[in-house]
Structure formats: C-alpha cells, structure tokens
Amino acid sequence: MSIDLSQFIPTFLEECFEGIELMEASLLNLEQGDEETINSIFRAAHSIKGGAGTFGFNHVTEFTHLVETLLDEMRDGRRNIAHKDIEILLDSVDCMRLLIEAIRDDCSYDDSKVIVTSQLLTATLNNNSIDENIVEDTTKDNENTSNAIADDNLTHWSISFIPEHHLVQTGNDPLLLLNALAELGKVSVTANCNSIPSLVDLDATELYISWQITLITAAKKEDIAEIFEWVEDDCQLVISNEESIDKKPAEINLDIANEADELITEKPTIEAKTKVKPNVTNDSSLQKPKAESGSIRVGVDKVDSLINLVGELVITQSMLSELGNDFELSKVARLNSGLEQLLQNTKELQESVMRIRMLPISFAFNRFPRLIHDLSKKMGKEIELLISGEQTELDKSVMEQISDPLVHLVRNAVDHGIEATDVRITNGKPEKGTVSLDAYHQGGSIVIEIKDDGGGIDSNVILAKAIENGLVDESTSLSESQVYDLLFEPGFSTAKTLSDISGRGVGMDVVKRNIQSLGGRIQIESTLGVGSTFKVFLPLTLAILDGQLVKVGREVYIIPLITIVESLQTQEALINRTSGDMVLYRLREDNVPVIPIYKLFNIPAQNKAIKNSLLVVVEADGQKVGLMVDDLLAQQQVVVKSLNENYQQVEGVSGATILGDGSVAMILDVPSMINMALKLAKKQQQNNIVAEEVIH
Amino acid sequence: MAQEKEYLTFILNGEEFGVDILSVQELRVWSAVTELPNKPAYIKGVINLRGVIIPIIDLRQRFGLAPLDYNAQTVTIILRSVDSKNPMVVGIVVDAVSEVYKFELNSIRKPPAFGQQIDSCFLEGLASVEDKLIILLNSLSLLDQNELYQVSRPPEERLANENTLTV
C-alpha cells in the first residue's frame, strides 16, 4: 500500500510559510530569557524540519537542522541569546523561505546564500571565534570554501546500518538516508540481502536489507549521526573511523581559521565572482511572479454567517413560491413584504460574500518589522516602528497590489524621512526615529498612513530641483500640494546621494500609478523639521463600484461615480467651437471638451445635437471632459465583471455589469475614453487637411 | 472498432456545418445583446449567461456571408473550449440547428485546399451523410481569440467614413 505524499505538499508548504513568518516575527521580538518565544520559534523550525524530511526535501531538512540545533542550545540556556546570533537566525529564516519557495515554484534558487548561512550557523555552533570580517569574506564565495574543506580533512568513515524490520512502517525511507549521505561526500554502499526470507514468509511491509557504507567526507561524526537521527531507535548503527585520525575540537577550529586565511588570499577571484552574481539573482527574481496563490483562508464565523443567510434566503424563497401557488390580488401586500425580505437577504448575502475576500491589513503590514529592522541596520539609524489599525480589512486583490507601493513608501520614510542620528540629536529630537503605519476607514475608502517624525519635505528644494530638471517654469507659482505632487513625476529624486535603498528617482511615479490603477489616490502632508505623512486612499473593494447609469441610444452605460464632477444641461451661449471639430463647453472658469459618446463608440443615439443636451462632466488624470449622453438614469452599486474572461479588452470600457433586468451594461473607462477622443480628433484633423487639399 | 466522433450540425446559408458536440455547452434562442463599442459587424455584442458575460458572434457575417434577419428559428450555439486551462465561452449565431451525427474518424475527408469562402483555419474536414455533404468546423479555432477575431476592420476606418457633427 502506498500513499501519494505529493498531494500533501501544498499543505506542507503553506505550513512552512506560516512557520517561517512566525519565526521571523518572534525573532524580532526575542529577548534574553524569553522562554515562551524561543520555544515557539523552536517548534516552528522543528515541524518544518520534520515535514521536509517526510517529503524528502533533504536540503531543507539539513539546513533547518542547523537552525534547530542553535535554537535548542538557546532554549536550554546553553547559549546566550546574542544580537549576532539573532541576525544569523534571521538570515537563516530568509534561506528557509528561499528553499521553500524554490520547492513551491519548482525552480532553481541561488544557493550561495544558503551555503554561506549554513557555514555561519556551523561556525556559530562550534563556538568559532572567527572575526566577523573574515566570516563575511567567507560568505562571498562558497565553492572555494567547500573545496577547501574537501581537500583538507577527508575522513574515511565506515558505517554499518542494520535497520529493524519495521523501519519502513514508521514512514522512513532508507533510500533518502543514503541519498543524504551521498551529499556529504563520496559514498559506496553494499547491501546485505542475506536475511531476506523465502517468498512465502516474506512480508512486503518489512525491511530485510541491511547496509554497509563507506563514506569519504569532510563531515564530522555528528553530521553523519544527524542523518540517522530519525531512525536512531529503529536500527543498529555503528559509525567508525577507518583511519584513526581522531581530531580534537581545538584542531578543527584551527583548520577553519586556516581556511579563512586561505580565502583572504583568494579574494580577487571572489570579487570577480560577486560581480557576476547580480545577473544570477535577477534571473531568479524573474521567475518569481508565479507566487500568487489562488486560495484564501476564511474564518469559520464568516462561513457560518453565510450559511445562516442562505438559510434565510431559502425560507423567503419557499414563502414566495407558496404565495405564488394560489395568488390573489388581496395578497399583494404579503408579496411586497416578501420581496422586501428577499431584497434584504440578497443584500446581506452580497455583503457577507464580499467580506470573505476581505483580509486584515496585517497581512501587508507583517513584513514591515523585518524591513525596518534590516533598513535601520543598513542605514545606521535607530528606528522604531509603530503599527496600528492592522485589523482593518481590505479586499484581497487590493492588498496584493498595494504591498509593493507600501514597501516603497516605508523605505522612503526611513531613507529620506528620518534624519541621521547626529542630526536628530542636534535638532533636539529623540535619538530613535519613529515610523508609524496606520490603517482606518474613512467614508467609503480605506486610508493607509505612513508617517515619520523625520525632517519633513522641503518644498523649496523640490521646486529648485524641478526647475533644474525643467519640469516646471521658474515663473509659475505652485501651491504646497502641487509642489509635493512633483515628487511623483517620473525621474524625480532629491536625494543627494544614491543608496541602494532609495533615491534613484524611479519608484514614486510607479507608486502613484499603482495606486491610481487601484482607483485610489495618494496625498502628502509635511511640516519641515517635524515629519511627513503619506496618506494612501483606496477603495474598499474592486469588485463593486458606485455608478451612474446613463442611456445612449439603445444602450445603458455606467459611469463610475467617483469620476463624476457634475451633470448639467448645456446652454447654447456657453458652447464654443475650436477650429477643428472639437467642441468646448464653458464651465465657470474651465473650458471642457465635449465628447459625444455615440460618436466615440459609433452607435446610434436619439440626440445628436449638443445644444440642450445632457452633459456628464468627468475628471481623470486632472483632465475634465464632458460626456454627452441621451438620458441620466439611476445611481446604483454595480458588480464589476471582466470582459477579458471570454472576450478581450475593449477600448473605452473597463468592464461590464449585469443590471437588474439581466441585461449587460458596459462600465466606462474615462481615461481610456479621453485617449480615444484625442486619437479621433487627430484623425479628423488629418482628414480635414486632406479634404482641403483636394478642394484646392 | 473504429473511433467515432459526434457532431452537432447546423444550417448556414443553406449549407450544413458541424461542430464537435463535446465543445457545445448549450443552445439558446436568439436574445437581445448589449453592443460593444467600435467592433466589426460580426461581433453582435455580449450577453449575460447566468452571471457570465460572453460574446456573441454572427457566424454568417464572420464567414463573409450576407446577414439574415433574426427570427424564431435563429439559434445561438454556446461553445465552450474543452481546454480546461484556458476556458473560454463564446456564442455563435446560426440560421438553424439540424441534427446530431456520428462519424467514424476515418470516414472524414480532408477539406479541399481551395474554392472555399470560409477561412481555411476553421475547417476540419468533410463528411457525407446519405447524399448530403457536411462541412465540419474546427471548434478549437472557433474558440481561439486570435483566429476568431482576426479579420476585424480597424474601428478608425469605420469612424472616418461617417463623421459629420450635427449641432
């Protein structure tokens, strides 16, 4: 009987990621003597190791074992929890994530970091006193090191492995053990089949083979014993050294120190290699986008409330159908109340279903403690991160798309916002900078605030830079918020020096674009010397929007309410024409171009005259236009459906929805309509020129 | 035993066509559609099929035949791609549905390389029942966006033809 283990792998991976996240979060909070935290980290590491072993991911098992051993020493109080160790553990967590991600995406990974970190771990475990600089040099390259080890102290081990008959029943596979041994060095294996009984007596679930193994490796006896750790109790295991080179621990330390020396002499090659590295990492990051997982975890309470609602819906439905069986006019009142109940039910059901897609924003915030930890180390700034409102819920798809822009904003806050420690002290500020993240509901949207108590944004510097770059004219006077908006111009950066954290001037424009594509906006508030606040406003969900229904010809279109400035009836006196066929409508101080929808979409319309027609003034990307429609209908919430699913993107339309009568209505995409109108106008101008030439 | 394949046949301009029955999801009578802006005439628009929005194609016009007024016999065949990775649903409007036939695979002849009005990418083969000839269509390419929508005339062209602004 065999169970297909691969069906459990996705669950295992999910558990691994949870474990890794838990380890990371706990490590950041870990303090001396905090037994509960270290225990939970240990447990997480242990279950990852166990799981990986079961599924045969030996490289994960091996690596995690090192982590586990270190944690075990900390747990038992054999080792003090030093700052340095926590750094190593954090690096190890990164490596574990790398390994697990590689398994999930079934792709290769950059194993140099893993090897380096495992060496660091081994060194730490051996209480190796190598100076940290040297260790860092060691980190530059791995192959040299492993070669060095290989050349230096090879040992011939002879291993006799006689498993109990029931070994395979406990879920262990001797083959995996042998493979793990093979990774340590050169292995030759002899199987002893003498104890296999005759076919009649043979029990297929028992193991009758034993092995004699010769291993040539640099690994120590403990490393070999580790591989057999899981089967220790179910076998007779003898590991003996064929050559009697029994090195004492002190000598081993010495050897490692020697290797480090050797490595220093090899530095030039190492540097050459590291220069090549970035390409490698880029490649692996290109493979990444596979990451998005298609499932969400839903709380039982949410599912329960759904079941309750569906129950009520069924009751209402049966009531209505009973009413319909022998309907008389006298029962109209009951019918109406039944329909009202149905309306209520469906609305609640809709809200509940939407709530399933909502996740607390802590999913996005959780990565920031680590980010701040790393950044503050890199920048030499002490920074405290305050997070509040992490229970605020956000649509899953919005969350996925907002994470990266948020990371960018937080990096900026640390890099540009918070001043260097000495500057802070001179300015009489607390030495430790504060970055706070907050999320809350406001009106129909969610606001995410990224606030720092740094130097604030100097609008004069921005303005000067913008003038230098030719983004604005020297003579124009701009309001404060207009100046801040310049930060979002492509290629704009005020950082005096470039760092690898931020300052290249790519990014803020991307941040803004990402937020806008989610239907949100970003706002900056800043006081010089006190700090800045970036506020990101996001819609609650992308799946539903408030729309204004309009009619053009036979079709109903939906204009997103958020884009509408006002609706009005045109007056003849205010209509202006430009030399082309463009019509402008005077709206107080503005002249808004009029776009007749029927013309843009090439459909019939009742009303083709601009005079006395209905104009819906909409705004997109700071540009106002008037959309000419036949009629204004109701305002209502609509569920956004994609046209791409079975068709393709249609210009001028962002999606479709289904109206109350079951018919389909298009949702207008205002920015794309403006583009279409511009193209059309250009085309017409060309046509006019051609026509004139023909006349002349 | 020879392998067989079942085909649903329909009438288009007096000729009988067949599609693989496994790719037919359902048949519907013609119902009003929502027009899409700036699309070639053979794309009639989209309909709501139980919450899913699917495009409706007039196969006559797609094959370059003269359009016919829709009547009670006009049927929309909803095709669904068998490929589960990239599911796609599309409705095709035909004059009328006819029969379901079973053909042995080795009795299906290759389509002639010339003399066809219809884009050859849609043709799978020819089969004969009694003295009728049935043109078998390739449902894979009918459900392929690139091939189905390839002959579209650029919308600008159509716009340019009829642009007179009335005020």
Side-chain angles (χ1 to χ4, degrees):
Chain A
M1 185 193 73
S2 79
I3 301 169
D4 182 13
L5 278 179
S6 62
Q7 59 178 314
F8 302 116
I9 290 180
T11 322
F12 160 68
L13 293 177
E14 208 162 295
E15 278 173 12
C16 280
F17 285 120
E18 277 171 24
I20 287 169
E21 251 163 53
L22 181 102
M23 285 174 78
E24 188 170 61
S26 310
L27 279 170
L28 290 170
N29 294 323
L30 186 62
E31 281 162 26
Q32 191 69 44
D34 184 354
E35 272 186 30
E36 195 41 56
T37 315
I38 190 116
N39 272 334
S40 67
I41 303 174
F42 179 81
R43 277 195 300 270
H46 188 73
S47 47
I48 293 175
K49 175 180 134 178
T54 313
F55 291 104
F57 301 128
N58 286 332
H59 52 300
V60 180
T61 319
E62 280 163 30
F63 185 81
T64 318
H65 179 76
L66 294 173
V67 179
E68 196 195 53
T69 317
L70 184 61
L71 285 166
D72 194 31
E73 287 184 9
M74 288 181 171
R75 187 175 66 152
D76 293 352
R78 273 181 281 152
R79 173 185 290 276
N80 285 337
I81 300 168
H83 184 67
K84 200 178 114 226
D85 295 344
I86 293 182
E87 291 303 326
I88 294 175
L89 283 172
L90 279 173
D91 281 342
S92 317
V93 169
D94 286 344
C95 292
M96 284 161 67
R97 183 176 288 134
L98 196 72
L99 292 172
I100 304 284
E101 276 173 355
I103 294 172
R104 180 193 60 194
D105 302 339
D106 201 17
C107 63
S108 58
Y109 56 94
D110 181 14
D111 60 352
S112 61
K113 187 171 181 195
V114 178
I115 296 175
V116 163
T117 316
S118 58
Q119 278 167 5
L120 271 175
L121 279 169
T122 324
T124 318
L125 283 172
N126 290 337
N127 270 333
N128 199 310
S129 56
I130 295 176
D131 179 36
E132 216 171 302
N133 292 330
I134 300 178
V135 176
E136 288 219 341
D137 287 332
T138 326
T139 61
K140 300 288 186 196
D141 198 0
N142 45 72
E143 272 166 38
N144 284 343
T145 326
S146 40
N147 286 343
I149 291 176
D151 292 336
D152 247 31
N153 42 356
L154 288 178
T155 319
H156 287 255
W157 296 97
S158 146
I159 303 159
S160 148
F161 175 44
I162 308 168
E164 301 280 331
H165 289 340
H166 65 261
L167 183 89
V168 281
Q169 289 162 6
T170 57
N172 289 297
D173 183 350
L175 195 59
L176 294 177
L177 298 171
L178 295 178
N179 283 340
L181 276 180
E183 278 168 31
L184 286 182
K186 217 176 144 197
V187 165
S188 64
V189 184
T190 323
N192 180 357
C193 312
N194 292 341
S195 55
I196 298 180
S198 67
L199 200 57
V200 188
D201 302 320
L202 187 122
D203 181 346
T205 63
E206 302 227 313
L207 179 65
Y208 300 99
I209 311 169
S210 57
W211 288 272
Q212 188 64 38
I213 305 149
T214 331
L215 173 66
I216 305 170
T217 178
K220 291 186 284 297
K221 191 172 177 177
E222 298 90 83
D223 298 331
I224 300 167
E226 253 171 51
I227 290 173
F228 291 99
E229 197 190 9
W230 292 78
V231 296
E232 235 165 26
D233 301 333
D234 303 316
C235 69
Q236 292 168 30
L237 183 71
V238 183
I239 305 172
S240 57
N241 193 341
E242 280 188 354
E243 293 162 26
S244 54
I245 316 164
D246 195 13
K247 287 195 178 179
K248 283 167 196 152
E251 286 173 17
I252 294 170
N253 283 349
L254 201 74
D255 281 342
I256 294 174
N258 285 341
E259 282 151 28
D261 280 341
E262 269 171 42
L263 280 165
I264 293 170
T265 54
E266 280 172 29
K267 233 177 164 183
T269 25
I270 293 160
E271 271 170 0
K273 284 203 172 181
T274 42
K275 268 178 199 158
V276 186
K277 281 275 160 63
N279 294 331
V280 179
T281 30
N282 280 348
D283 284 348
S284 62
S285 65
L286 278 177
Q287 290 175 346
K288 260 192 171 169
K290 254 179 164 178
E292 220 236 290
S293 73
S295 66
I296 23 177
R297 289 196 164 201
V298 182
V300 180
D301 54 326
K302 285 181 178 173
V303 177
D304 280 348
S305 86
L306 264 184
I307 290 173
N308 284 340
L309 285 170
V310 172
E312 275 181 52
L313 197 65
V314 170
I315 294 168
T316 315
Q317 182 265 329
S318 64
M319 187 194 89
L320 282 174
S321 61
E322 200 177 299
L323 203 63
N325 280 344
D326 51 343
F327 187 73
E328 302 158 15
L329 270 182
S330 60
K331 290 180 178 168
V332 164
R334 271 183 63 198
L335 176 70
N336 272 337
S337 78
L339 287 175
E340 211 156 277
Q341 208 172 321
L342 188 67
L343 178 80
Q344 190 68 27
N345 287 155
T346 35
K347 222 177 212 169
E348 281 175 20
L349 193 61
Q350 186 196 31
E351 275 170 21
S352 292
V353 173
M354 294 316 294
R355 227 175 288 145
I356 285 187
R357 284 189 63 88
M358 304 292 258
L359 295 172
I361 201 162
S362 53
F363 279 85
F365 279 2
N366 274 347
R367 60 205 280 194
F368 290 119
R370 177 69 195 277
L371 183 73
I372 294 282
H373 174 92
D374 287 355
L375 286 179
S376 60
K377 200 173 69 175
K378 204 179 249 170
M379 310 282 304
K381 295 174 180 174
E382 264 199 81
I383 290 153
E384 192 178 4
L385 177 70
L386 299 175
I387 293 182
S388 49
E390 61 262 58
Q391 286 308 314
T392 313
E393 290 191 328
L394 194 60
D395 191 282
K396 181 172 181 273
S397 47
V398 180
M399 181 102 67
E400 275 158 6
Q401 292 172 58
I402 199 64
S403 291
D404 288 339
L406 281 186
V407 167
H408 197 92
L409 290 173
V410 170
R411 284 183 175 195
N412 270 344
V414 173
D415 194 15
H416 302 314
I418 307 280
E419 316 93 320
T421 316
D422 47 337
V423 179
R424 288 185 70 90
I425 295 170
T426 347
N427 291 348
K429 281 184 175 181
E431 205 172 305
K432 214 172 189 179
T434 309
V435 173
S436 53
L437 288 171
D438 193 7
Y440 52 88
H441 288 259
Q442 194 180 66
S445 46
I446 293 216
V447 186
I448 303 173
E449 258 186 34
I450 299 106
K451 194 168 163 185
D452 64 70
D453 69 342
I457 301 167
D458 191 339
S459 46
N460 291 329
V461 172
I462 296 175
L463 203 57
K465 183 90 183 176
I467 292 167
E468 187 190 313
N469 286 358
L471 284 173
V472 286
D473 218 6
E474 214 162 326
S475 52
T476 47
S477 69
L478 294 170
S479 74
E480 191 131 284
S481 67
Q482 277 172 317
V483 172
Y484 293 153
D485 277 346
L486 290 172
L487 287 174
F488 299 112
E489 290 294 322
F492 192 91
S493 174
T494 56
K496 288 173 192 86
T497 51
L498 297 183
S499 68
D500 64 341
I501 295 171
S502 51
R504 286 194 192 85
V506 283
M508 282 307 259
D509 56 323
V510 180
V511 168
K512 187 175 184 180
R513 233 193 356 258
N514 283 353
I515 291 170
Q516 276 179 341
S517 72
L518 288 171
R521 63 196 167 88
I522 181 165
Q523 184 186 321
I524 304 177
E525 288 162 18
S526 178
T527 318
L528 200 58
V530 179
S532 351
T533 307
F534 287 77
K535 278 187 182 177
V536 179
F537 295 79
L538 292 172
L540 273 179
T541 169
L542 297 179
I544 290 190
L545 67 86
D546 284 303
Q548 165 74 54
L549 274 57
V550 297
K551 197 161 181 136
V552 182
R554 292 190 305 265
E555 304 291 348
V556 173
Y557 291 100
I558 290 150
I559 304 175
L561 216 50
I562 195 164
T563 62
I564 298 181
V565 182
E566 60 183 290
S567 306
L568 51 91
Q569 189 157 35
T570 53
Q571 293 166 19
E572 200 175 0
L574 300 174
I575 300 171
N576 293 305
R577 288 165 162 284
T578 56
S579 56
D581 262 337
M582 201 60 151
V583 180
L584 293 176
Y585 187 78
R586 189 159 179 82
L587 183 72
R588 293 177 291 274
E589 285 84 42
D590 272 342
N591 273 317
V592 262
V594 174
I595 303 178
I597 293 182
Y598 78 92
K599 213 171 134 189
L600 198 64
F601 284 177
N602 204 18
I603 51 169
Q606 288 166 356
N607 172 28
K608 297 194 172 182
I610 290 178
K611 195 172 85 179
N612 284 335
S613 64
L614 282 169
L615 216 56
V616 181
V617 181
V618 292
E619 187 173 354
D621 297 335
Q623 165 81 39
K624 273 186 202 160
V625 293
L627 299 177
M628 197 178 107
V629 300
D630 284 355
D631 201 0
L632 287 172
L633 306 172
Q635 279 180 11
Q636 70 175 61
Q637 282 200 328
V638 296
V639 180
V640 182
K641 303 241 172 198
S642 154
L643 275 177
N644 295 7
E645 215 170 292
N646 291 308
Y647 190 56
Q648 50 201 22
Q649 196 62 46
V650 178
E651 203 182 11
V653 169
S654 64
T657 191
I658 294 162
L659 297 178
D661 62 355
S663 65
V664 182
M666 300 290 144
I667 300 167
L668 300 181
D669 180 358
V670 175
S672 134
M673 287 177 79
I674 294 176
N675 274 338
M676 283 170 81
L678 286 175
K679 263 195 263 171
L680 191 62
K682 233 181 231 165
K683 190 104 196 170
Q684 257 174 19
Q685 249 168 14
Q686 281 169 2
N687 281 354
N688 287 348
I689 293 166
V690 173
E692 273 168 35
E693 277 171 0
V694 171
I695 292 164
H696 287 307
Chain B
M1 195 186 79
Q3 274 195 306
E4 290 178 329
K5 213 169 162 186
E6 275 188 288
Y7 285 85
L8 173 79
T9 66
F10 54 85
I11 311 292
L12 211 60
N13 203 25
E15 284 189 87
E16 197 161 352
F17 290 85
V19 285
D20 182 359
I21 203 158
L22 290 178
S23 60
V24 176
Q25 180 184 315
E26 61 186 281
L27 304 177
R28 286 170 62 91
V29 290
W30 164 260
S31 58
V33 297
T34 301
E35 276 184 49
L36 290 168
N38 295 322
K39 285 296 156 204
Y42 65 82
I43 298 178
K44 302 317 287 180
V46 290
I47 61 161
N48 160 27
L49 184 73
R50 294 183 294 277
V52 181
I53 292 171
I54 60 168
I56 301 294
I57 311 296
D58 187 320
L59 210 55
R60 267 179 167 268
Q61 282 169 287
R62 176 63 187 83
F63 287 168
L65 304 168
L68 201 69
D69 281 341
Y70 296 148
N71 59 30
Q73 279 199 309
T74 310
V75 173
T76 311
I77 303 176
I78 310 290
L79 297 176
R80 167 184 287 274
S81 57
V82 200
D83 177 14
S84 60
K85 250 191 211 159
N86 187 14
M88 169 151 139
V89 185
V90 69
I92 54 171
V93 182
V94 300
D95 295 356
V97 280
S98 171
E99 291 277 350
V100 175
Y101 291 115
K102 221 178 241 182
F103 297 120
E104 283 181 10
L105 279 187
N106 50 23
S107 75
I108 297 173
R109 278 173 287 144
K110 285 219 175 316
F114 56 91
Q116 289 290 332
Q117 278 179 286
I118 303 165
D119 293 11
S120 57
C121 69
F122 294 121
L123 297 180
E124 190 172 277
L126 298 170
S128 47
V129 178
E130 290 146 20
D131 47 1
K132 277 192 298 189
L133 193 67
I134 295 171
I135 303 164
L136 303 179
L137 297 178
N138 183 344
S139 53
L140 278 182
S141 49
L142 274 178
L143 282 160
D144 188 311
Q145 296 222 351
N146 296 330
E147 286 173 7
L148 190 55
Y149 306 130
Q150 215 172 28
V151 290
S152 63
R153 209 157 36 118
E156 284 91 339
E157 216 176 292
R158 296 164 70 224
L159 279 174
N161 291 343
E162 41 183 301
N163 265 325
T164 36
L165 192 73
T166 28
V167 177

